[in-house]
Amino acid sequence: MTRFILRHWYDVGGVLVIPVLLVAFLGHWPTVQFILLLNLAVIFIHQFEEYRFPGGEPWVLNEVFLSKPDPNVRPDTLPTNELSSIWINGTAWILYFVAVFFPDQVWLGLAPILMGFPAQFVVHGVITTRKLKFFYNPGLGAVVLGHLPLAIWYIVAVYQEGLIHWWDWIFGLLILGFFMGFVMQIVGFRVLAPRGVEKWHYTLAEYTRWDRERRLLRAGITPRPIGEHAG
């Protein structure tokens, strides 16, 4: 069961998109809560785009975005692997879910909203596109078509309804900083990733989606040897 969850959490998220959208569009929600429901659906779509279709985020992270080549370490094991990925992305689900249930607490909503845009836009739309030398990378579609417009709509809505205060920005940014600094960098990359090297490395199929070798070569990056295992 553990192995299934570690290798299919993004598929679970892809399935959850349907009930979340049904709840959003069939219910009668205040505007801000409706936006947060859509934002929850978009993070599921975003992660499905990254890891399943077209996929490729594991190698984009390990060999392009976070690449620190070490001849003694296979790229399908570090700096991210299945264990660190489910921790980081699963914790993000909590932020998105909590915001939906407390729409009047704008600081709770700002964290996942700002995580989608501008944070994800900077990662996918600026840094990764430049390093990969290509206009698209897995996850960018959901950012541009989902997170970006929802972020604009959310901020306009909370100001129009008089829900936001200056301290909401401070607390929202602190939560986002805590997620990126502690949850992702310290726990995800430094604690869990090294523990997942042997048992929870990416599978061959999982790691090579979205035509890995051709796209790396096109970007001028030499594909590093990976395990020929199915994991």
Side-chain angles (χ1 to χ4, degrees):
M1 187 62 178
T2 300
R3 186 176 296 273
F4 176 85
I5 294 173
L6 281 164
R7 293 180 178 175
H8 295 281
W9 59 266
Y10 43 86
D11 295 319
V12 173
V15 172
L16 288 176
V17 171
I18 298 173
V20 171
L21 289 178
L22 286 175
V23 168
F25 285 103
L26 295 180
H28 299 284
W29 307 99
T31 300
V32 169
Q33 195 166 25
F34 178 67
I35 296 170
L36 292 170
L37 275 166
L38 294 183
N39 201 42
L40 175 60
V42 170
I43 192 60
F44 291 145
I45 295 171
H46 175 88
Q47 294 167 342
F48 188 85
E49 180 186 0
E50 287 182 317
Y51 288 88
R52 172 59 66 184
F53 182 78
E57 185 67 4
W59 67 260
V60 170
L61 283 174
N62 288 9
E63 296 184 78
V64 181
F65 186 73
L66 299 171
S67 180
K68 292 181 180 179
D70 182 340
N72 298 315
V73 177
R74 293 201 322 264
D76 53 332
T77 63
L78 286 174
T80 72
N81 48 51
E82 291 176 341
L83 187 60
S84 62
S85 292
I86 193 172
W87 162 256
I88 293 169
N89 288 283
T91 305
W93 285 16
I94 297 173
L95 292 181
Y96 282 76
F97 266 109
V98 171
V100 170
F101 290 104
F102 300 96
D104 293 337
Q105 302 300 315
V106 177
W107 55 281
L108 284 175
L110 274 175
I113 286 290
L114 296 176
M115 186 185 299
F117 181 85
Q120 291 282 11
F121 183 80
V122 171
V123 171
H124 289 278
V126 180
I127 300 175
T128 305
T129 53
R130 178 175 56 82
K131 287 188 173 185
L132 201 54
K133 299 178 183 178
F134 194 61
F135 71 93
Y136 171 81
N137 57 85
L140 183 59
V143 171
V144 173
L145 299 177
H147 290 305
L148 189 159
L150 287 176
I152 295 173
W153 188 12
Y154 179 82
I155 292 172
V156 169
V158 294
Y159 272 105
Q160 285 182 339
E161 297 183 20
L163 296 173
I164 192 168
H165 303 87
W166 61 268
W167 60 79
D168 289 308
W169 284 102
I170 293 177
F171 288 126
L173 288 170
L174 284 174
I175 293 174
L176 180 60
F178 176 81
F179 177 85
M180 297 179 69
F182 182 75
V183 173
M184 183 182 296
Q185 296 291 334
I186 296 179
V187 180
F189 295 156
R190 298 182 188 179
V191 177
L192 295 180
R195 297 184 182 185
V197 169
E198 294 299 326
K199 191 174 182 180
W200 306 119
H201 50 70
Y202 294 113
T203 66
L204 186 63
E206 193 173 27
Y207 194 76
T208 56
R209 289 177 185 139
W210 199 51
D211 204 359
R212 168 184 172 262
E213 289 196 12
R214 183 178 69 84
R215 295 187 186 280
L216 282 173
L217 289 171
R218 180 175 179 174
I221 302 171
T222 301
R224 293 154 58 197
I226 59 177
E228 295 298 324
H229 42 65

